[in-house]
Amino acid sequence: MPARILVVDDDASILRLVRLNLEMEGYDVLEASDGKQALDALAKSKKLPDLMVCDVMMPGMDGLEVVRRIRKDDQLAALPVLLLSAKAQDRDVQHGKSAGADDYLTKPFDPDDLLETVARLLKAGPRK
């Protein structure tokens, strides 16, 4: 059974790019266009995804807040999260990891880097 990945991004072109690359690798991809929609999808899901790939800069609830809320929720806390962001300075990466992200890729990203990072996080499995 393929791994399920929830991709969250308010930019439809990035959402499509990530989805297509993941689907070409055989992953089952779910989508959300903002943080609230992502949290709603997780709350309603009968089977949680194996990984979430989430943009940082989104209107309403940004990706950092999404990660913080996931880490505080006993049902979701083990979900691995990869953040994507145009913010590429060291402090931005540190903020992402401090919020609870497992990894952080900067935009624009190489699709091969995305796939390698996803594979590594899935291999590591749920957070302990």
Side-chain angles (χ1 to χ4, degrees):
M1 179 179 250
R4 296 178 80 204
I5 301 173
L6 174 59
V7 180
V8 187
D9 202 306
D10 62 316
D11 183 329
S13 61
I14 297 290
L15 193 61
R16 186 171 44 255
L17 173 71
V18 173
R19 183 189 73 237
L20 290 174
N21 277 279
L22 293 172
E23 287 177 343
M24 287 185 349
E25 290 296 307
Y27 298 117
D28 180 23
V29 179
L30 310 170
E31 296 180 348
S33 59
D34 62 40
K36 182 180 179 333
Q37 196 177 74
L39 291 176
D40 288 347
L42 290 169
K44 293 175 184 171
S45 180
K46 289 180 177 33
K47 181 186 181 303
L48 290 177
D50 300 294
L51 174 71
M52 183 173 75
V53 177
C54 186
D55 183 30
V56 171
M57 294 186 297
M58 295 183 290
M61 184 186 310
D62 70 16
L64 298 176
E65 182 61 24
V66 172
V67 175
R68 285 185 196 104
R69 289 184 185 201
I70 285 171
R71 295 297 174 239
K72 290 179 183 177
D73 185 314
D74 292 340
Q75 302 298 317
L76 304 174
L79 177 66
V81 177
L82 167 60
L83 287 178
L84 301 177
S85 180
K87 293 182 168 188
Q89 294 185 355
D90 287 344
R91 71 173 181 255
D92 299 314
V93 175
Q94 284 308 109
H95 286 159
K97 290 188 175 184
S98 293
D102 296 282
D103 212 330
Y104 190 105
L105 281 180
T106 57
K107 297 177 185 178
F109 54 85
D110 182 312
D112 289 338
D113 289 342
L114 171 70
L115 295 173
E116 288 172 17
T117 305
V118 163
R120 182 175 43 75
L121 290 172
L122 288 170
K123 185 177 180 182
R127 292 172 62 101
K128 305 292 187 247

